Each structure stands twice: as C-alpha cells, then as structure tokens.
Amino acid sequence: MQTLNLAYSSTFSTYRNFLGPPHIKVMCRLLGYQGIAVVMEELLKVVKSLLQGTILQYVKTLMEVMPKICRLPRHEYGSPGR
C-alpha cells in the first residue's frame, strides 16, 4: 500500500497546483451565470482590498524611499549585458 501511495504521489505531484482551462470550464458549467457573477464580485472585493490596503502601503513606502529624481546611468558605465 505504501508503494502505491508513493507511486501515486510522484505521478501526480506535477499537477498538484495546476488550475487550467478544463477546471474553469467545469466550474462555469456548475456555477451557471449567476454563480459566476457572485464569484467575480467576491474576487473583485479581494483585489480591491489588496490594492487599497497592502499594495498601497508598499507603493507609498517605495515612493518615500526613492530619490526625487531618477536618472538613467551614464553610458560610460556600460551595461551588464555587454
């Protein structure tokens, strides 16, 4: 039994965090039009919360610590890709 579990785990480990078109199609079919609208509304609430909360704070912090004038480096320094 343990060998079978190990084989199953190694075979399906690549699909563990996969969410793709087949999954979305099935969810849409199960939810229907109204269900999709509810899910989208909740997703938009989460995105709005992140944008107005956490991400906004990160952007404000970055703006405070960045120099007032940002210039490109002088061409004499060269570029790392050269």
Side-chain angles (χ1 to χ4, degrees):
M1 187 67 170
Q2 186 177 5
T3 308
L4 184 60
N5 284 339
L6 183 61
Y8 177 81
S9 295
S10 65
T11 301
F12 292 102
S13 65
T14 56
Y15 304 109
R16 181 168 294 152
N17 295 320
F18 173 71
L19 176 71
H23 303 101
I24 303 298
K25 286 179 185 177
V26 169
M27 285 192 293
C28 289
R29 202 169 26 165
L30 289 172
L31 289 171
Y33 187 77
Q34 292 290 12
I36 294 170
V38 171
V39 169
M40 291 304 295
E41 184 178 357
E42 292 302 317
L43 284 173
L44 288 172
K45 286 180 188 176
V46 170
V47 169
K48 183 178 179 181
S49 168
L50 285 171
L51 286 174
Q52 291 179 340
T54 309
I55 295 174
L56 178 64
Q57 191 57 47
Y58 287 143
V59 170
K60 284 182 178 179
T61 303
L62 281 173
M63 294 297 284
E64 289 173 5
V65 298
M66 283 181 65
K68 298 296 177 199
I69 298 174
C70 295
R71 295 188 177 136
L72 292 173
R74 293 176 44 161
H75 72 278
E76 289 92 14
Y77 297 143
S79 67
R82 234 194 305 179

